[in-house]
Amino acid sequence: MSGWLTSVIALVVGDREADRVVPPTGFTATLTVFTSAAMAFLAVFALALSLATDRLADRWAAELARTSTLRISAPAGQLGPQTEAALRLLETTPGVASARALTTEEQRDLLTPWFGAELPLETLPIPQLIEIVEEGDGYDPTGLRARLQAEVPGAVLDDHTRWREPLVEAASRLRGLGIVSLVLIGGATAAMITLAAQAALAANAQVIRVLRLVGAQDAYIARAFVRRFTLRAMAGAAIGMLAGLLGILLLPRADIAGGFLTGLGFRGTGWLLPLLIPPLAGVVAFFATRSAALRSLKEQS
Amino acid sequence: MIELRDVAYTYGRGELFAGINLTLAPGSFHFLTGPSGAGKTTFLKLCYGELISTHGTVSLFGKDVRDMTRDDVALSRRRIGVVHQDCQFLDHLPVSENVALPLTASGRHAEIEPNLSDLLGWVGLSGQAAQRPPQLSGGERQRAALARAVITSPDVIIADEPTGNIDWEMSQRLLTLLVELNRMGKAVMVATHDLNLIRAAKAQVQARVLRLKDRQLQAAGADL
């Protein structure tokens, strides 16, 4: 049986006497618990970010893929007839579920963020926008453009491809950042616990000397430290995870406030994923401490 | 059990001793004397695998220390009880758990209960079982260290100045314990400056006295 497997079994089974050979107090205990808690707290948010961006990418892709915009630019006298012609054409286009011209108020609302509420829309040569909602496999954009060019010369079809792709890519990169953050958090946790374990081993040099004197093997000495650090890391991570979940719960709800950041959170079975953080922190702590302990014991011999 | 053949040990500044040959056989009793700095503690450390000789061969129970892993040395230590002059303990544990530590560390938990109370009684520490080591006097610490050294019933007992910090009466008591163990067939080696202790021992047991002097191990029994 390999050494680490034996250590895992010993970790699960436990040994009350062996656990007691290392003094129970010390700054490394606080450091390990605090580090694990802080990292688990951050991991909850990184996980939430990753899942939220995943959902956002899907939503943006789906929403933008199902709608298009037709923009009609024409002299004032021709705008109305061309709009009607475009709507008639769209009614007979396969793959188009509905098409409607945006009202003046709707167009004003779209421009208000840039030009203010007092915009005299009637006096400006604003193009007419038509919203197209697709059905089934959608329409053939090349064929539609050809027909529009022939029948509605002032129309420009925007199938949202140029918007959708960068948004989906941005969401995908945000999701990647979330995953990278989780990996970095895991690495930072391992590094901090390794340092704490090394400090504990150095601080307990006399304990190690005594244990060696009485015939304790390296695995036994390492186990006493590994079990303690693993359990501390798991406890800290559990505290951090609960705090993180509480933080997520206290965020404003997406359907009330809207927007991306307020959509940060978990849905359905996604709430179970943070529960994996404490055992994962335990695994990281187990291997980090075991490696540090065996290395230190070799150096101290 | 422990055999040294043409052993030398060299520090950075020079050779501490050389050409040492010695066999610690079952039931043997050796005293190791010599001036301060002669290398008695180093010599004992070679005997229980704490140090590796720079020349020659040290065998623990038939195995060359040079060929042993750290875990092999640890397993050998379970057959060698060591008593240090400064008696290092785990200060956060009570005396009873410190004495039982060799059994705990070797996973022999079942042997603790039947042996511990008898052993503590034998060294006169029944009343101090629940105390922490810093609460013990020098003599009590020496006896606790001896109890810890023998709880696994080792084949060899090595003691480095075990009476260095205690009075004559307590020294006699410790010597009696060592002699009893020797009569049980254990090999005993004691490093000491205390010639009175050696004389007292020679009255009770056939002990061989060795002296580390001028980088050599010499028989010194005739001087006493």
Side-chain angles (χ1 to χ4, degrees):
Chain A
M1 198 184 298
S2 62
W4 71 265
L5 188 58
T6 312
S7 298
V8 169
I9 293 168
L11 179 77
V12 173
V13 174
D15 181 344
R16 202 186 69 82
E17 277 82 13
D19 288 350
R20 285 168 54 80
V21 300
V22 181
T25 55
F27 75 98
T28 54
T30 315
L31 180 64
T32 308
V33 173
F34 177 76
T35 302
S36 300
M39 292 301 176
F41 184 81
L42 294 175
V44 169
F45 281 91
L47 190 61
L49 172 75
S50 197
L51 293 176
T53 49
D54 205 25
R55 284 195 303 271
L56 200 65
D58 290 345
R59 202 177 74 211
W60 282 347
E63 283 178 2
L64 292 172
R66 303 304 296 171
T67 60
S68 318
T69 305
L70 190 65
R71 190 175 73 243
I72 299 168
S73 302
Q78 293 178 26
L79 193 60
Q82 285 206 25
T83 302
E84 287 171 15
L87 287 169
R88 280 197 301 277
L89 188 149
L90 288 168
E91 278 174 18
T92 59
T93 303
V96 173
S98 65
R100 69 174 187 91
L102 265 62
T103 63
T104 307
E105 285 70 30
E106 286 175 320
Q107 298 213 141
R108 190 193 308 277
D109 289 345
L110 288 173
L111 293 170
T112 296
W114 283 271
F115 297 106
E118 304 304 318
L119 180 69
L121 204 61
E122 301 75 15
T123 62
L124 294 172
I126 304 294
Q128 174 64 52
L129 300 178
I130 295 175
E131 183 189 56
I132 304 167
V133 178
E134 297 173 32
E135 63 180 3
D137 293 334
Y139 59 80
D140 167 24
T142 309
L144 182 58
R145 280 197 180 94
R147 289 177 64 197
L148 285 168
Q149 197 172 13
E151 298 180 33
V152 191
V156 176
L157 177 66
D158 178 0
D159 62 3
H160 295 171
T161 304
R162 69 194 170 102
W163 299 104
R164 192 168 66 227
E165 283 177 355
L167 283 173
V168 170
E169 192 183 333
S172 171
R173 286 190 179 181
L174 273 173
R175 183 176 50 197
L177 275 176
I179 293 166
V180 169
S181 301
L182 283 170
V183 172
L184 287 175
I185 287 167
T189 306
M192 290 297 289
I193 290 175
T194 300
L195 288 173
Q198 282 174 340
L201 286 155
N204 288 293
Q206 181 178 331
V207 171
I208 293 169
R209 269 198 303 278
V210 171
L211 289 172
R212 283 219 160 111
L213 187 71
V214 301
Q217 292 178 300
D218 279 6
Y220 176 87
I221 301 170
R223 200 180 304 144
F225 287 91
V226 168
R227 183 171 157 78
R228 180 162 297 187
F229 274 83
T230 303
L231 295 179
R232 280 175 188 162
M234 286 177 76
I239 295 167
M241 178 204 68
L242 290 173
L245 286 177
L246 192 64
I248 294 283
L249 278 171
L250 292 176
L251 281 175
R253 285 174 58 189
D255 52 353
I256 294 171
F260 165 64
L261 283 174
T262 52
L264 204 62
F266 302 102
R267 302 270 165 81
T269 53
W271 283 101
L272 298 176
L273 284 175
L275 299 179
L276 294 174
I277 292 173
L280 282 174
V283 169
V284 168
F286 172 83
F287 284 105
T289 315
R290 188 168 185 274
S291 163
L294 292 177
R295 199 169 50 246
S296 290
L297 290 171
K298 190 176 178 184
E299 285 166 3
Q300 285 180 30
S301 65
Chain B
M1 288 188 286
I2 296 178
E3 193 171 14
L4 291 83
R5 287 283 164 264
D6 195 22
V7 166
Y9 193 81
T10 307
Y11 275 117
R13 61 177 188 272
E15 195 171 64
L16 195 59
F17 45 73
I20 292 191
N21 294 288
L22 180 70
T23 300
L24 294 185
S28 62
F29 200 122
H30 289 85
F31 279 106
L32 180 65
T33 64
S36 294
K40 295 190 293 296
T41 298
T42 301
F43 180 82
L44 294 185
K45 285 183 174 176
L46 289 171
C47 289
Y48 60 84
E50 174 90 19
L51 292 174
I52 294 176
S53 63
T54 48
H55 184 268
T57 308
V58 177
S59 300
L60 303 184
F61 307 103
K63 205 168 178 182
D64 188 341
V65 171
R66 236 180 272 278
D67 299 331
M68 294 167 84
T69 62
R70 284 196 308 282
D71 282 349
D72 289 337
V73 172
L75 290 173
S76 293
R77 293 263 177 87
R78 294 176 187 179
R79 301 177 65 184
I80 305 171
V82 180
V83 182
H84 276 291
Q85 184 179 5
D86 56 353
C87 301
Q88 293 176 336
F89 292 102
L90 303 184
D91 289 344
H92 63 288
L93 294 181
V95 170
S96 57
E97 287 187 47
N98 267 288
V99 170
L101 199 56
L103 291 176
T104 309
S106 53
R108 293 154 65 181
H109 300 294
E111 295 175 42
I112 295 174
E113 190 69 31
N115 290 318
L116 186 60
S117 56
D118 283 352
L119 191 56
L120 287 173
W122 183 65
V123 295
L125 290 176
S126 296
Q128 286 79 16
Q131 289 184 1
R132 299 281 188 274
Q135 296 174 276
L136 300 182
S137 68
E140 288 169 338
R141 287 175 70 87
Q142 293 287 4
R143 282 183 281 149
L146 183 62
R148 185 180 65 186
V150 302
I151 196 168
T152 53
S153 191
D155 299 311
V156 182
I157 293 145
I158 293 175
D160 188 3
E161 301 280 4
T163 59
N165 297 322
I166 56 178
D167 58 31
W168 173 248
E169 190 183 338
M170 193 55 68
S171 298
Q172 286 299 300
R173 198 162 166 186
L174 268 175
L175 177 65
T176 305
L177 296 175
L178 289 169
V179 168
E180 273 188 54
L181 289 165
N182 181 245
R183 284 178 180 152
M184 291 160 67
K186 315 292 183 192
V188 177
M189 170 164 261
V190 181
T192 184
H193 281 107
D194 190 344
L195 296 183
N196 289 328
L197 183 78
I198 297 173
R199 289 190 189 102
K202 282 172 79 78
Q204 300 175 54
V205 70
Q206 194 169 3
R208 192 177 167 207
V209 183
L210 306 168
R211 175 179 290 168
L212 263 176
K213 193 179 176 189
D214 300 331
R215 298 186 293 127
Q216 299 294 316
L217 189 66
Q218 306 161 354
D223 298 344
L224 299 164

